[in-house]
Amino acid sequence: MTLVTSGEITAADEAFLERAIALAWDARNGGNHPFGSLLVTADGAVLEALNSVVTGSDPTGHAETNLVRLAGGLSADVRASSVLYTSTEPCAMCAGAIYWSGIGRVVFALSEADLAAMVDEEDGVPPLRLPSREVFGRGGRPIVVDGPAPLPSAAAVHHGFWD
């Protein structure tokens, strides 16, 4: 499989990432883990999702998996030409869901390595240290992956949460 990295995160990408981070704050303020994601289609339609692990009593309720469920109502062609923006690099579970959804590009702010440096464990379980590029790289279709984006707000939403 060919993993594509464009290497270029534009000002528009950064604006969408800041929106994902704002959604992460909404999730945190609502009693969930601080993660947010949005999907932008080629024609500019936007879907948004928050982490709902705690309030939904669902360990799979990550922002990205919630977003993939929402995007399931879109055609495969629309998903393939869409961009998923997320406040933090997708975990292995979310990367798998993104892969199977057919979404064509992923842009993230905070890396999984930077998050893992902040989180020793969650409910006694250490983080799964597996970058999304490694998950996508095992697949059979190209996915453009860009990130991390050096946005201080991406780390700020986690400060004090995991202590």
Side-chain angles (χ1 to χ4, degrees), residues 102-122:
I103 291 168
R105 181 177 180 227
V106 175
V107 184
F108 63 88
L110 188 70
S111 72
E112 70 78 31
D114 288 338
L115 177 64
M118 290 186 245
V119 182
D120 290 329
E121 64 179 42
E122 178 190 333

Side-chain angles (χ1 to χ4, degrees), residues 136-149:
F136 296 138
R138 301 293 181 136
R141 70 174 183 86
I143 299 173
V144 176
V145 181
D146 292 307

Side-chain angles (χ1 to χ4, degrees), residues 90-106:
C91 72
M93 175 184 69
C94 292
I98 293 164
Y99 175 82
W100 289 111
S101 76
I103 291 168
R105 181 177 180 227
V106 175

Side-chain angles (χ1 to χ4, degrees), residues 19 37-39 56 72 74 82 86 92 99 104-105 143 149:
R19 177 62 189 147
S37 296
L38 58 128
L39 185 80
L74 303 173
S82 295
T86 188
Y99 175 82
R105 181 177 180 227
I143 299 173

